Amino acid sequence: MPEIKVTPLGAGQDVGRSCILVSIAGKNVMLDCGMHMGYNDDRRFPDFSYITQNGRLTDFLDCVIISHFHLDHCGALPYFSEMVGYDGPIYMTHPTKAICPILLEDYRKITVDKKGETNFFTSQMIKDCMKKVVAVHLHQTVQVDEELEIKAYYAGHVLGAAMFQIKVGCESVVYTGDYNMTPDRHLGAAWIDKCRPDLLISESTYATTIRDSKRCRERDFLKKVHETVERGGKVLIPVFALGRAQELCILLETFWERMNLKAPIYFSTGLTEKANHYYKLFITWTNQKIRKTFVQRNMFEFKHIKAFDRAFADNPGPMVVFATPGMLHAGQSLQIFRKWAGNEKNMVIMPGYCVQGTVGHKILSGQRKLEMEGRQILEVKMQVEYMSFSAHADAKGIMQLIRQAEPRNVLLVHGEAKKMEFLKQKIEQEFHVSCFMPANGETSSILTNPCIPVDIALGLLKREAQPAPRGFIPGAFPPFSPQSFRLVSPEQALKELGLAEHQLRFTCRVHIQDPRKEHETVLRVYNHLRGLLKDYSVQHLPDGSITVESILIQATAHSEDQGTKVLLVSWTYQDEELGSYLTALLKKGLPQST
Amino acid sequence: FQYCLSGHPTLPCNVLKFKSTTIMLDCGLDMTSTLNFLPLPLVQSPRLSKLPGWVLKDGSTFLDKELKECSGHVFVDSVPEFCLPETELLDLSTVDVILISNYHCMMALPYITEYTGFTGTVYATEPTVQIGRLLMEELVNSIERVPKAQSASMWKNKEVQRLLPAPLKDAVEVSMWRKCYTMPEVNAALSKIQLVGYSQKIELFGAVQVTPLSSGYALGSSNWIIQSHYEKVSYVSGSSLLTTHPQPMDQAALKNSDVLILTGLTQIPTANPDGMVGEFCSNLAMTVRNGGNVLVPCYPSGVIYDLLECLYQYIDSAGLSNIPFYFISPVANSSLEFSQIFAEWLCHNKQTKVYLPEPPFPHAELIQTNKLKHYPSIHGDFSNDFKQPCVVFTGHPSLRFGDVVHFMELWGKSSLNTVIFTEPDFSYLDALAPYQPLAMKCVYCPIDTRLNFIQVSKLLKEVQPLHVVCPEQYTQPPPSQSHRTDLMVECQPPAMAYRRAEVLTLPYKRRYEKIEIMPDLADSLVPLEIKPGISLATVSAVLHTKDNKHVLQLPPKPPQPPASKKRKRVSDDVPECKSLKPLLSGSIPVDQFVQTLEKHGFSDVKVEDTAKGHIVLLQEAETLIQLEEDSTHIICDNDEPLRVKLRDLVLKFLQKF
């Protein structure tokens, strides 16, 4: 049986450095190429030596697909393509292609310039890497080679995020990347058609969470921000430059407008304006409402939100600051956090998931004394709030997507093992499909049952498909070569092989007692058969013979006995059943005429 | 089959019947009919209202309310009407899908979707829909804001029309001409559209796959591939090989077509678009330098983006920095905004700009620096800001409605001013006719980036379709230049021509169809090598057909007859399902056959030779077996066990297929 093999190099029972190898019908595809925020050593990148020990990656992989621009999905790409060496195609959507290099450059700067690491990819490498990228449209079928095709579906989550269908012949896999099943203030919901893949590889960040309605969360968020600002506190919201940031900005912008608030809102880093610009230019990727109204009012032009300057952090009085990065693991958000952590009037709101090992994760798990660089201990007195705004599908959403796509198997990645286990059981119970959750480096094999396409002669198809939908097809495949099967009618097969048909004919003599004249006997036989064989064409021909379909019945008088008539029933082997039946029937004699 | 519903080669409307699906290709609206009408002025025009009524040669004046005369031309004084695609040729409610190739070719959509009982789906790309909506909005708006009390219909009477001067006399199907649709109808029509992306494979009823491909002509413009597993029809409509703003044309995917339908070629085959742009700029600069105004009648989207881009590069060097450019259209703002958000549908250079991120079109900068201003109409803010000399871009290119009518009336009397025609859809002389006599200069710089005949012949050589189908206009030189045999489509075999209201049988035939075989059935097949290198397996299977997909499955096990019913009535035995017997092949060697018969207990076998073979006689059983090379005939008494025994013996010698 053919099988699909899946091996996560990252994101197997874990969140971070997503990288999943898929082998399907002889094709090898790498899904995402991310980095891990929780590590600063070798473990931050997937172990590409797993793919091939000696050979070139380009020879082994048919293509690489990047689902969206978050670094845990694309952060290792320049390392992979330029330092390990891969020259094949890399596919991503247009917005991802636009934004990805900027985030990579940002990441490079933090790592090399600030932390002073060497042996890291360079700006030039990012550029060279991006040259290998082929941008894809939503729903476009991209023919990677003759057999392998991929297709992107809208995934919500962040601007340009996509789910990908990978298809070879009848076999297919869908990889969701990160997705969101509920539309938010700036993006739409993920959507896929009933494509019935053999395997659905789904993220499961919120495998056990069922989130309350978005409105409640938003109200909660606004209330907390408002209260803090009212009592003169400062609010820090660590975000990634693109994604949640825009949603929360829209939220605060409209709230400030409505409540006529005066406290300043800042957005850190130069990326901001640029980021908003991307949203403006790729507005077709946002949700319906924003797209409809953008001519009158572009939602990404903010009145109340201004650029942040480092000096502002020490300003007295209330303020709200969006700062990057989102998990408080480095950069400006961490700097501001250190400044404000000591004051209980202040608040930090974590609007998204934090990977283990980051400061964000530590404070969310209740740690209040943090060991910073240089053995310094930072005491956190400010309020720490967690509010799930990250646009991942929750358990309900994941189930919904499975219902939409109707996969034959499900495989979970990008989540924590314990939570996955729970969801796996739920999926198996509800959908009666197998569910896998391989750890990193572990391979899951999924058996498939692909059908085999053949060419059928049109005449044969029409003959079989029309009158009797359940007719049996006698057919043949000449010539028999694995590349091209053809199904033709037996007649054509014989003709193509240069063979003549051998006709096998039977003629049976059936004796009937009937003193009447021959033509009267024939008429009686005719009426009798017509009465019985309602579904067959029974005809009385002018030459005195009867046909039942293609079976011929003729009557002659017995040479010796005038009271006996001999019926000659003649049929070919192809009418064997009917011929045999008819002779048996006639042998029983004719009913008494009334 | 192909049904041609529009005679206009660049505004096509054809219906294709392909594998039991009915597909409408484009929905073009022929607006040249409006040239027969008087312009709709936004402000009361004394000149137009004073035009004399038309009087017949015999002096009768019964038409003078409907028809007005201007400089020797006769115009209908009524709400302008459009020439619809043919609606009688076939029942349009049977159309399953409509494929739209570009925003100019969907203007008749509301007439089709809202009036014919159409219940199918329309497919188009997102830019096509958005910009198509803008074009329709502008059209509806510019006609609805000038309500006209009069609706002329008397002149349409066949008897009356015969008496009219040309071109009214020769106008076709005037009784079918219709007034413009309304916004609710536009919205209803557009709601039936499903958005598609380039190279997206769309399955129609499992039988047909359609795919839009970039055609390079306009934002989101597409050619379509309509194919089954074994036939491929390419629909090429409005394509361009020039590098302007849209994504380049995808030619490779058009290869191996059985039929290529070719429409939407350039309407001005003799004009070079680049040269025309140059002329446009220099005429514009000259007029403005002399203190005159320039009027550019145009559509709100398309070539205007390229013109603005040229001007952006040109104005500083030409010293025009202080000249205001006005873009007046109810959809001007939307059009400029929309152009900036379709990054994925743009040419590579523009895409790269978006990645920076910068707006792809430089008109964003023109607007920011106040060099280009846009207004919904001449009323309101525009009248306050209006400064002369200036350049005005506005619609409609037919000069029959829209703000352009106002500027023609305003500027027509001065020879300082210039009107520059860039849109190729209307004859500029006809467009100008109701404004004669005119003092203003008229410059004709038609910019049509669609394929010319040289490019067509190159394209056809490249993609090698088996047959080409095109409007009849393309199979002969243009009537005005009958010696230019280079201005027609040349290919081998010659292109098949179609004309309005004609049905064409397309020459594709197929012999095979794709079906799928279930793996368990495939496993059960035993290939047999019949001849060296040729193997064969016989298949006995059940064909399942669902949604036009065919799957071969193992035949179900015959159900065991219920044991309880011992005695069945004869009629129950009627063989129910026609289980076909295989074909036989081979011949029976008579000696071996006789030996076999003897082995099976027939002792009295007698063989007679005949002309073609042998006759084997079983005397006791009164049975006769005729053996010939390709046939065997068993003639016996009604002794079923005997017959079956003989049958099986014969079958042993034969191959089954």
Side-chain angles (χ1 to χ4, degrees):
Chain A
M1 280 291 229
E3 54 185 16
I4 297 173
K5 285 187 180 171
V6 182
T7 315
L9 299 184
Q13 303 182 3
D14 185 19
V15 176
R17 65 163 200 205
S18 281
C19 184
I20 297 137
L21 288 177
V22 173
S23 292
I24 169 171
K27 304 283 171 188
N28 297 311
V29 178
M30 189 165 103
L31 304 169
D32 280 336
C33 189
M35 53 82 86
H36 204 296
M37 314 257 182
Y39 301 115
N40 279 325
D41 51 22
D42 280 351
R43 288 173 296 174
R44 72 178 154 210
F45 292 148
D47 178 12
F48 297 115
S49 65
Y50 177 93
I51 301 175
T52 162
Q53 289 295 329
N54 315 309
R56 291 172 61 235
L57 287 172
T58 315
D59 299 334
F60 184 80
L61 290 173
D62 292 281
C63 74
V64 174
I65 294 170
I66 303 295
S67 64
H68 62 285
F69 59 64
H70 277 156
L71 288 173
D72 58 332
H73 292 259
C74 70
L77 200 57
Y79 169 76
F80 164 78
S81 74
E82 304 312 307
M83 296 171 79
V84 183
Y86 169 78
D87 299 319
I90 301 167
Y91 294 96
M92 51 178 87
T93 65
H94 282 272
T96 309
K97 186 182 173 188
I99 297 164
C100 178
I102 294 167
L103 296 186
L104 285 170
E105 180 59 30
D106 211 46
Y107 172 42
R108 190 198 65 80
K109 266 194 205 143
I110 290 176
T111 316
V112 177
D113 300 353
K114 296 219 171 119
K115 294 191 190 157
E117 275 192 50
T118 51
N119 194 23
F120 203 72
F121 53 76
T122 64
S123 293
Q124 189 55 43
M125 284 178 183
I126 297 175
K127 282 184 193 138
D128 292 340
C129 166
M130 293 314 289
K131 280 183 195 146
K132 297 172 184 170
V133 172
V134 182
V136 300
H137 289 243
L138 277 185
H139 301 163
Q140 172 190 13
T141 304
V142 180
Q143 214 71 43
V144 178
D145 59 32
E146 294 247 309
E147 286 116 33
L148 174 62
E149 58 181 48
I150 61 172
K151 180 176 176 183
Y153 291 95
Y154 190 77
H157 188 63
V158 288
L159 193 73
M163 309 190 273
F164 279 89
Q165 182 193 43
I166 300 109
K167 198 172 168 193
V168 184
C170 295
E171 293 169 86
S172 65
V173 172
V174 168
Y175 173 57
T176 63
D178 292 355
Y179 62 103
N180 188 13
M181 292 301 284
T182 45
D184 59 32
R185 276 181 188 260
H186 74 306
L187 295 173
W191 179 87
I192 195 162
D193 52 9
K194 208 176 273 312
C195 56
R196 298 193 178 93
D198 291 297
L199 176 66
L200 175 80
I201 304 177
S202 173
E203 66 132 326
S204 50
T205 323
Y206 289 118
T208 53
T209 321
I210 291 188
R211 284 180 295 180
D212 47 359
S213 88
K214 191 104 193 178
R215 293 242 162 259
C216 297
R217 261 178 291 148
E218 287 177 358
R219 211 166 37 224
D220 232 31
F221 170 79
L222 291 172
K223 201 174 132 207
K224 278 177 183 149
V225 172
H226 193 193
E227 279 169 8
T228 311
V229 172
E230 285 287 276
R231 65 167 178 257
K234 296 179 170 65
V235 182
L236 171 65
I237 309 170
V239 288
F240 288 98
L242 291 121
R244 237 25 49 205
Q246 278 68 28
E247 184 188 358
L248 296 179
C249 282
I250 294 174
L251 193 61
L252 281 189
E253 167 91 8
T254 37
F255 186 69
W256 250 238
E257 182 110 19
R258 200 175 71 224
M259 306 293 288
N260 202 12
L261 295 181
K262 292 285 177 280
I265 308 175
Y266 297 114
F267 203 132
S268 81
T269 79
L271 253 177
T272 330
E273 223 174 315
K274 225 170 163 184
N276 288 340
H277 224 89
Y278 280 115
Y279 276 84
K280 279 188 236 167
L281 293 172
F282 284 110
I283 213 144
T284 53
W285 284 79
T286 58
N287 69 25
Q288 200 92 46
K289 194 180 152 205
I290 293 186
R291 276 157 55 180
K292 268 207 172 130
T293 55
F294 91 102
V295 176
Q296 289 79 43
R297 170 163 162 52
N298 198 319
M299 288 296 257
F300 298 103
E301 276 162 17
F302 301 115
K303 264 191 274 172
H304 296 273
I305 300 168
K306 296 175 192 78
F308 182 73
D309 186 290
R310 200 173 297 187
F312 294 173
D314 299 322
N315 285 0
M319 68 174 87
V320 180
V321 175
F322 289 94
T324 57
M327 299 188 193
L328 284 179
H329 56 280
Q332 201 155 29
S333 62
L334 188 59
Q335 282 174 20
I336 299 172
F337 173 75
R338 289 167 81 161
K339 274 199 180 134
W340 295 357
N343 190 337
E344 56 277 303
K345 267 207 290 189
N346 297 341
M347 177 183 284
V348 57
I349 300 179
M350 306 297 297
Y353 184 87
C354 287
V355 161
Q356 269 198 359
T358 58
V359 173
H361 188 267
K362 283 176 194 157
I363 57 169
L364 281 184
S365 47
Q367 224 175 305
R368 286 296 172 263
K369 289 209 162 99
L370 301 172
E371 190 178 329
M372 307 307 278
E373 287 152 43
R375 299 262 169 115
Q376 233 179 308
I377 299 289
L378 180 69
E379 197 169 344
V380 182
K381 287 189 185 145
M382 76 197 297
Q383 296 179 50
V384 177
E385 292 289 344
Y386 172 67
M387 223 160 269
S388 153
F389 273 99
S390 57
H392 292 280
D394 61 1
K396 217 164 77 190
I398 296 170
M399 301 301 266
Q400 200 182 332
L401 186 84
I402 296 174
R403 211 164 293 127
Q404 260 182 33
E406 284 191 6
R408 295 192 186 89
N409 298 277
V410 178
L411 188 147
L412 299 176
V413 294
H414 200 280
E416 290 158 31
K418 252 192 253 154
K419 297 181 179 174
M420 275 185 184
E421 192 65 56
F422 177 82
L423 185 65
K424 171 178 145 79
Q425 278 174 14
K426 216 172 133 186
I427 290 170
E428 286 177 338
Q429 263 170 27
E430 194 167 332
F431 299 105
H432 309 289
V433 297
S434 312
C435 186
F436 304 81
M437 40 174 285
N440 286 335
E442 200 176 286
T443 302
S444 292
S445 295
I446 291 97
L447 290 181
T448 60
N449 206 8
C451 21
I452 301 145
V454 295
D455 292 350
I456 184 170
L458 196 62
L460 178 65
L461 179 69
K462 283 196 174 153
R463 191 174 84 189
E464 293 308 320
Q466 267 168 10
R470 275 172 47 101
F472 287 84
I473 285 199
F477 297 113
F480 195 89
S481 70
Q483 282 84 35
S484 71
F485 296 115
R486 280 188 305 139
L487 187 62
V488 299
S489 63
E491 291 89 351
Q492 194 180 339
L494 284 179
K495 206 170 135 197
E496 286 187 23
L497 289 167
L499 298 176
E501 188 195 339
H502 189 103
Q503 270 231 350
L504 176 56
R505 180 165 275 281
F506 306 96
T507 302
C508 265
R509 293 184 289 266
V510 183
H511 299 260
I512 287 188
Q513 300 297 323
D514 188 11
R516 275 167 262 226
K517 292 227 167 83
E518 278 156 40
H519 69 265
E520 283 174 31
T521 311
V522 168
L523 205 62
R524 283 185 68 201
V525 171
Y526 171 64
N527 286 333
H528 177 51
L529 293 180
R530 213 177 46 164
L532 273 179
L533 304 173
K534 293 220 164 54
D535 296 337
Y536 292 81
S537 124
V538 182
Q539 282 181 301
H540 190 181
L541 300 182
D543 68 352
S545 53
I546 301 172
T547 57
V548 179
E549 300 288 323
S550 58
I551 295 171
L552 190 72
I553 303 173
Q554 285 171 307
T556 54
H558 199 278
S559 51
E560 291 148 30
D561 180 3
Q562 285 298 317
T564 304
K565 301 287 178 298
V566 180
L567 293 177
L568 291 175
V569 184
S570 180
W571 71 93
T572 63
Y573 178 57
Q574 273 66 39
D575 292 319
E576 173 71 8
E577 254 104 46
L578 188 58
S580 164
Y581 166 76
L582 274 180
T583 52
L585 182 68
L586 291 169
K587 203 176 174 181
K588 295 196 176 96
L590 298 175
Q592 292 303 309
S593 55
T594 48
Chain B
F1 292 102
Q2 183 191 314
Y3 298 75
C4 172
L5 310 186
S6 160
H8 198 300
T10 29
L11 297 168
C13 182
N14 293 306
V15 173
L16 189 70
K17 292 221 172 176
F18 184 77
K19 284 201 66 177
S20 70
T21 46
T22 307
I23 302 168
M24 180 178 277
L25 304 170
D26 278 333
C27 218
L29 183 62
D30 188 348
M31 294 201 236
T32 50
S33 58
T34 58
L35 292 176
N36 295 300
F37 292 79
L38 273 188
L40 289 179
L42 289 177
V43 189
Q44 179 74 21
S45 156
R47 185 188 70 86
L48 284 174
S49 48
K50 275 189 218 141
L51 286 177
W54 183 69
V55 182
L56 266 78
K57 275 195 202 105
D58 64 2
S60 44
T61 58
F62 69 97
L63 281 169
D64 70 347
K65 286 268 181 313
E66 293 201 347
L67 302 180
K68 304 282 175 185
E69 196 169 347
C70 175
S71 309
H73 290 266
V74 177
F75 297 95
V76 182
D77 187 10
S78 175
V79 186
E81 294 179 341
F82 307 114
C83 179
L84 266 55
E86 206 69 38
T87 49
E88 306 289 302
L89 196 57
L90 81 163
D91 180 1
L92 291 179
S93 67
T94 62
V95 170
D96 297 310
V97 295
I98 302 180
L99 308 180
I100 302 292
S101 58
N102 64 64
Y103 46 75
H104 286 299
C105 294
M106 61 185 281
M107 297 300 279
L109 200 59
Y111 294 119
I112 303 293
T113 59
E114 306 310 302
Y115 289 100
T116 63
F118 172 80
T119 53
T121 312
V122 185
Y123 291 98
T125 62
E126 182 166 8
T128 301
V129 177
Q130 299 295 4
I131 297 173
R133 177 194 295 275
L134 297 183
L135 292 184
M136 290 179 176
E137 240 180 84
E138 190 193 55
L139 185 68
V140 172
N141 183 295
S142 49
I143 288 178
E144 281 185 354
R145 66 201 243 232
V146 193
K148 195 146 180 135
Q150 177 168 318
S151 178
S153 59
M154 221 192 306
W155 69 277
K156 290 184 179 179
N157 184 307
K158 274 211 169 71
E159 293 306 309
V160 178
Q161 198 197 352
R162 218 160 31 87
L163 305 171
L164 304 181
L168 278 177
K169 185 174 67 177
D170 309 317
V172 289
E173 306 199 37
V174 289
S175 59
M176 304 289 295
W177 289 11
R178 286 286 171 275
K179 279 186 207 129
C180 189
Y181 34 72
T182 62
M183 248 0 249
E185 284 163 353
V186 170
N187 289 328
L190 295 181
S191 71
K192 299 184 168 82
I193 299 184
Q194 196 167 322
L195 297 183
V196 294
Y198 288 150
S199 304
Q200 178 177 350
K201 294 177 178 171
I202 304 138
E203 293 277 344
L204 305 180
F205 317 110
V208 180
Q209 197 182 62
V210 295
T211 310
L213 304 171
S214 175
S215 78
Y217 165 61
L219 271 176
S221 70
S222 28
N223 293 321
W224 290 84
I225 304 280
I226 302 125
Q227 63 187 344
S228 68
H229 290 293
Y230 287 98
E231 302 120 308
K232 178 169 172 181
V233 176
S234 296
Y235 175 60
V236 174
S237 165
S239 300
S240 177
L241 292 170
L242 299 178
T243 317
T244 58
H245 57 274
Q247 214 181 84
M249 177 179 177
D250 182 351
Q251 293 185 63
L254 298 173
K255 281 184 183 167
N256 304 320
S257 307
D258 296 295
V259 174
L260 186 141
I261 304 171
L262 185 66
T263 66
L265 303 184
T266 176
Q267 304 186 69
I268 322 289
T270 47
N272 165 10
D274 282 335
M276 287 297 147
V277 172
E279 240 174 82
F280 168 82
C281 288
S282 60
N283 275 297
L284 181 142
M286 200 149 64
T287 304
V288 176
R289 269 193 220 111
N290 293 334
N293 300 297
V294 176
L295 178 62
V296 187
C298 62
Y299 293 114
S301 177
V303 175
I304 186 171
Y305 303 143
D306 298 313
L307 290 179
L308 288 175
E309 185 155 3
C310 286
L311 290 173
Y312 168 79
Q313 290 154 4
Y314 183 74
I315 45 177
D316 287 328
S317 64
L320 303 176
S321 320
N322 299 321
I323 303 297
F325 287 76
Y326 301 117
F327 178 17
I328 301 168
S329 160
V331 297
N333 185 25
S334 299
S335 166
L336 293 171
E337 290 287 342
F338 269 113
S339 67
Q340 307 286 20
I341 64 157
F342 291 122
E344 293 159 271
W345 309 86
L346 293 172
C347 64
H348 183 256
N349 274 344
K350 297 227 177 302
Q351 255 176 28
T352 322
K353 282 187 103 175
V354 175
Y355 289 170
L356 289 178
E358 277 169 26
F361 285 97
H363 53 238
E365 201 185 316
L366 287 176
I367 294 168
Q368 238 171 29
T369 53
N370 263 332
K371 284 176 182 155
L372 174 67
K373 292 182 182 178
H374 54 82
Y375 302 90
S377 85
I378 51 166
H379 301 297
D381 290 345
F382 176 70
S383 34
N384 304 328
D385 300 352
F386 184 43
K387 268 188 289 201
Q388 304 193 65
C390 65
V391 179
V392 169
F393 293 87
T394 188
H396 184 270
S398 66
L399 305 191
R400 291 305 180 270
F401 42 85
D403 298 276
V404 74
V405 176
H406 175 76
F407 288 100
M408 283 304 296
E409 294 289 339
L410 185 70
W411 290 343
K413 293 164 220 108
S414 164
S415 61
L416 280 178
N417 302 327
T418 308
V419 54
I420 309 182
F421 291 88
T422 55
E423 301 288 355
D425 285 356
F426 300 91
S427 145
Y428 80 105
L429 289 175
D430 291 347
L432 287 171
Y435 298 96
Q436 298 293 0
L438 265 182
M440 100 196 275
K441 278 199 292 289
C442 304
V443 178
Y444 185 50
C445 300
I447 299 168
D448 196 334
T449 57
R450 286 173 276 213
L451 296 176
N452 63 34
F453 290 99
I454 301 167
Q455 291 163 332
V456 165
S457 77
K458 247 173 89 183
L459 173 76
L460 291 180
K461 258 185 213 132
E462 182 85 19
V463 305
Q464 297 276 0
L466 287 184
H467 298 276
V468 175
V469 175
C470 66
E472 62 170 340
Q473 288 93 331
Y474 296 159
T475 57
Q476 59 216 22
S480 56
Q481 292 156 295
S482 52
H483 61 287
R484 292 289 298 270
T485 49
D486 56 326
L487 299 184
M488 57 185 273
V489 172
E490 293 251 36
C491 59
Q492 269 317 318
M496 302 172 65
Y498 63 79
R499 57 185 71 82
R500 187 175 169 110
E502 205 180 69
V503 184
L504 202 67
T505 308
L506 296 185
Y508 42 70
K509 55 171 183 243
R510 63 207 159 98
R511 288 170 50 214
Y512 289 99
E513 184 70 60
K514 271 268 191 290
I515 60 170
E516 286 175 353
I517 293 196
M518 293 304 283
D520 45 354
L521 174 64
D523 279 347
S524 73
L525 297 180
V526 187
L528 210 81
E529 193 162 39
I530 299 289
K531 290 178 176 178
I534 299 180
S535 296
L536 178 143
T538 57
V539 184
S540 189
V542 183
L543 181 73
H544 279 266
T545 301
K546 193 183 165 191
D547 299 338
N548 280 321
K549 294 253 185 275
H550 312 289
V551 179
L552 274 188
Q553 296 181 346
L554 276 177
K557 301 245 162 54
Q560 296 296 320
S564 58
K565 264 193 178 174
K566 278 208 169 150
R567 185 80 175 86
K568 286 197 288 179
R569 281 176 44 216
V570 175
S571 57
D572 288 343
D573 285 345
V574 175
E576 193 182 274
C577 129
K578 286 165 75 187
S579 60
L580 287 170
K581 289 284 185 242
L583 287 188
L584 305 172
S585 178
S587 56
I588 299 173
V590 70
D591 296 341
Q592 284 174 35
F593 183 61
V594 171
Q595 281 172 22
T596 312
L597 284 176
E598 284 169 347
K599 219 184 279 173
H600 282 83
F602 296 97
S603 50
D604 53 347
V605 182
K606 214 176 118 187
V607 180
E608 289 173 13
D609 288 355
T610 65
K612 285 186 184 161
H614 311 274
I615 291 181
V616 178
L617 280 167
L618 306 177
Q619 284 164 314
E620 198 187 321
E622 287 187 49
T623 295
L624 188 135
I625 304 167
Q626 289 176 351
L627 294 178
E628 289 176 10
E629 199 187 333
D630 287 330
S631 67
T632 301
H633 195 168
I634 299 173
I635 301 163
C636 61
D637 264 347
N638 193 2
D639 181 350
E640 188 69 5
L642 171 73
R643 191 187 65 83
V644 169
K645 192 169 177 185
L646 289 173
R647 179 193 73 192
D648 293 342
L649 290 179
V650 168
L651 287 177
K652 273 189 190 166
F653 289 92
L654 297 171
Q655 286 176 310
K656 293 159 202 73
F657 292 95

